[in-house]
Amino acid sequence: MAVVIRCGDEIYLTRRNRDPKKGKLDLAGGFVDPKESAEETCKRELFEELQLDIDISNLKYLTSLPNIYQYKEIDYNTIDLFYEYNVMEKFEVNLELSEISEAVWIPLQDLNLENIAFDSQRRFFEGYIKK
């Protein structure tokens, strides 16, 4: 799961603090646990990573894209589901530093796709920016 947190024309991205892709920008999100819906995963991951408690009824499903996630030198074929969550005001959070080194608001038009950690997210943003 990956969630685009959006306030107006800005998005909230995290910077990875561990491999794979340490130092690159990433959308908040993560893997689905057993017996968990996609929306429940979004809620759990946003709380775990950002201490952000969201109302899952306000999540908007956008699209899915195939991805290859490398972990401990093994390639895993995954499917990434992308959601959008709009907030009325920008916020800052206390971060779980083991996973995230920082979180930043970036104007969508200033987003450099080369700084995005994963191929599926870069492909996602190519289309998202055009809308």
Side-chain angles (χ1 to χ4, degrees):
M1 299 303 117
V3 182
V4 179
I5 300 170
R6 187 165 179 163
C7 184
D9 290 332
E10 294 186 58
I11 57 173
Y12 201 55
L13 295 172
T14 62
R15 189 169 307 278
R16 296 182 62 80
N17 200 31
R18 62 168 78 157
D19 283 323
K21 311 293 183 176
K22 183 177 179 178
K24 294 285 192 173
L25 293 173
D26 194 9
L27 288 168
F31 293 101
V32 177
D33 284 344
K35 300 182 182 180
E36 188 175 59
S37 72
E39 293 79 9
E40 289 167 338
T41 300
C42 293
K43 181 176 179 70
R44 177 182 52 76
E45 287 288 346
L46 290 179
F47 189 78
E48 286 177 3
E49 291 181 10
L50 303 174
Q51 299 300 300
L52 183 62
D53 190 16
I54 67 164
D55 178 352
I56 61 173
S57 68
N58 292 329
L59 280 168
K60 178 183 174 188
Y61 172 76
L62 299 174
T63 193
S64 65
L65 290 169
N67 191 23
I68 297 175
Y69 187 87
Q70 188 177 71
Y71 182 69
K72 295 186 178 180
E73 299 181 23
I74 299 172
D75 288 342
Y76 294 91
N77 287 288
T78 63
I79 186 77
D80 294 352
L81 304 180
F82 293 88
Y83 286 83
E84 182 180 68
Y85 191 79
N86 284 283
V87 297
M88 298 303 290
E89 295 180 358
K90 293 195 299 185
F91 58 88
E92 299 300 324
V93 296
N94 293 324
L95 300 174
E96 175 55 55
L97 294 178
S98 65
E99 290 188 22
I100 298 168
S101 62
E102 71 174 329
V104 293
W105 286 101
I106 298 176
L108 200 51
Q109 71 270 12
D110 294 345
L111 182 62
N112 180 348
L113 297 181
E114 295 301 314
N115 292 331
I116 302 295
F118 299 105
D119 291 339
S120 67
Q121 289 186 19
R122 281 193 294 275
R123 290 192 320 270
F124 164 77
F125 276 121
E126 285 171 358
Y128 187 78
I129 290 170
K130 293 177 185 175
K131 293 180 180 178

